[in-house]
Amino acid sequence: MIKNIDKQAENVVKLLCKNHKKAASAESCTGGLISAAITSVSGSSEVFDMGICSYANEIKAEKLNVPREFLEGFGAVSEQVAKAMAEGVMNSARSDYGVSTTGIAGPTGGTEEKPVGTVWIGVCSKEKGSRALRFLFKTDDRPKGITEREFIRHQAVLKALELLEEEIKNTL
């Protein structure tokens, strides 16, 4: 799983470098793992200036300009918040792309409406605006020795990097 994340991060960095573009990340449930994956790639300093770990709603509102009405009305784990997080970090970093994650990694915190494994991933670009996709990461077939929480977080990082790569390719 980690090898896949490393390879995907490498793909993103190479694509950004080749096209002289920059990306930034805003992470809640992944707690900085996207930033860690990207910055583990040599050359990432040319294309990645900012990653914000916005675990608390106050940080989402104050640092990423997520409207409080979104947080109160839809909850932190929502399409609206994921899109606003991606836009907020892109604008703060003055980058070309933003990516965000907000979800419930568990094992507690899930509800019937938003079960453990629910993750919204937002991506945005100056050219296309923002979008967010909902994922429900199941842990049934996770490798031995990896907790459900760790598995969900790593799946979210991998998917976020894939969506970021897709967004970059779609705007070039």
Side-chain angles (χ1 to χ4, degrees):
M1 184 165 39
I2 299 297
K3 286 181 183 177
N4 292 341
I5 290 172
D6 291 345
K7 182 64 178 157
Q8 191 61 49
E10 190 178 306
N11 292 346
V12 166
V13 170
K14 283 181 181 178
L15 193 55
L16 290 166
C17 285
K18 178 182 173 186
N19 293 284
H20 308 286
K21 301 286 186 181
K22 291 192 174 202
S25 66
E27 302 179 66
S28 188
C29 64
T30 51
L33 292 173
I34 294 170
S35 295
I38 290 173
T39 59
S40 71
V41 179
S42 180
S44 59
S45 62
E46 299 298 316
V47 298
F48 187 79
D49 290 338
M50 179 189 294
I52 293 178
C53 182
S54 54
Y55 212 63
N57 284 349
E58 275 304 303
I59 299 303
K60 289 176 182 73
E62 291 178 14
K63 302 297 181 191
L64 297 171
N65 297 313
V66 173
R68 291 183 191 275
E69 308 85 73
F70 288 4
L71 292 162
E72 293 163 9
F74 303 108
V77 181
S78 65
E79 175 183 18
Q80 295 83 356
V81 170
K83 287 168 65 173
M85 288 171 65
E87 292 167 8
V89 78
M90 181 183 75
N91 292 332
S92 291
R94 295 181 188 94
S95 65
D96 302 289
Y97 303 95
V99 63
S100 68
T101 57
T102 182
I104 304 164
T108 61
T111 64
E112 208 171 294
E113 184 182 299
K114 297 176 184 177
V116 169
T118 302
V119 178
W120 279 93
I121 300 174
V123 290
C124 68
S125 63
K126 291 179 181 177
E127 291 85 357
K128 292 197 168 235
S130 63
R131 63 188 173 105
L133 298 170
R134 180 185 181 271
F135 297 90
L136 181 57
F137 296 112
K138 301 282 188 182
T139 60
D140 300 337
D141 54 347
R142 71 183 186 279
K144 283 190 175 190
I146 294 180
T147 67
E148 289 181 7
R149 182 176 183 84
E150 185 179 10
F151 185 75
I152 291 165
R153 287 168 36 117
H154 282 105
Q155 290 298 106
V157 170
L158 182 59
K159 185 54 73 174
L161 290 168
E162 288 171 358
L163 291 173
L164 179 57
E165 180 182 18
E166 179 183 296
E167 186 73 15
I168 297 164
K169 286 179 176 178
N170 287 337
T171 58
L172 296 176

